[in-house]
Amino acid sequence: MKRFVYAIVALTIAALPALAQQNPVANTLRQQLESKSKNLIAAAEEMPADKYSYRPTPAQITFGHLMEHIAGSNNTLCGAISGEAAPKSEVKETEGKDKLVQALKDSFAFCSTSLAKVDDSKLGDELSIFGRKASRAQAMFGLSNDWADHYAGAAMYLRLNGMLPPTAKGKK
């Protein structure tokens, strides 16, 4: 009987790496969603309301426009990746911090819900995103890259206004 129990335990332990590797792309995207959404929302909350119209140079977008853009691209990309209808983000950069932060939070909530159902079985499926064809895998990597790019921009805007971005503050 002991040998049987040991065999079951050994087989279970041996199977753990395979279980952990199920859906590695989708699981990684969901892990990034968790951390990147916290950082981007914290950056949006950190910027004072009167600085949402700030732009480093005339050629650059305002901080408010960046938040509007993130919310819209989250909805579009997460909808395309999951196959769910994306909510329409009607918020505009001029509507103020409270509405923009809420739109950002709502877009990440939509991503969390819609990406929860995504697995790696259809990574090669062709999607239409922003008028271009891409595989689901390309869209997933693009979304991840967007979060990094957008956070870098938000962090720069915060630093140019004398504030530390969330990831530079350290753990509390």
Side-chain angles (χ1 to χ4, degrees), residues 81-136:
I81 291 165
S82 68
E84 292 188 19
K88 300 290 184 218
S89 182
E90 302 295 331
V91 69
K92 300 293 180 220
E93 70 179 283
T94 56
E95 291 186 62
K97 177 180 177 174
D98 291 342
K99 287 188 178 182
L100 288 164
V101 170
Q102 190 58 56
L104 185 65
K105 288 178 179 180
D106 291 347
S107 75
F108 279 117
F110 171 69
C111 285
S112 182
T113 301
S114 63
L115 295 178
K117 302 167 189 148
V118 173
D119 62 38
D120 290 1
S121 67
K122 298 178 182 173
L123 291 176
D125 285 3
E126 188 176 89
L127 309 174
S128 179
I129 302 171
F130 303 118
R132 292 182 292 199
K133 299 291 181 192
S135 70
R136 180 170 277 108

Side-chain angles (χ1 to χ4, degrees), residues 49-67:
D50 65 329
K51 294 290 187 177
Y52 265 63
S53 60
Y54 172 77
R55 67 176 76 225
T57 69
Q60 291 174 286
I61 63 174
T62 66
F63 188 83
H65 186 106
L66 178 61
M67 296 303 114

Side-chain angles (χ1 to χ4, degrees), residues 24-89:
V25 176
N27 287 340
T28 298
L29 186 63
R30 284 187 283 271
Q31 289 168 350
Q32 289 181 344
L33 168 63
E34 186 177 331
S35 65
K36 303 303 182 195
S37 65
K38 287 178 187 173
N39 291 338
L40 281 161
I41 291 168
E45 291 174 335
E46 178 76 17
M47 184 65 88
D50 65 329
K51 294 290 187 177
Y52 265 63
S53 60
Y54 172 77
R55 67 176 76 225
T57 69
Q60 291 174 286
I61 63 174
T62 66
F63 188 83
H65 186 106
L66 178 61
M67 296 303 114
E68 173 192 339
H69 171 74
I70 296 168
S73 65
N74 279 352
N75 288 336
T76 298
L77 288 169
C78 291
I81 291 165
S82 68
E84 292 188 19
K88 300 290 184 218
S89 182

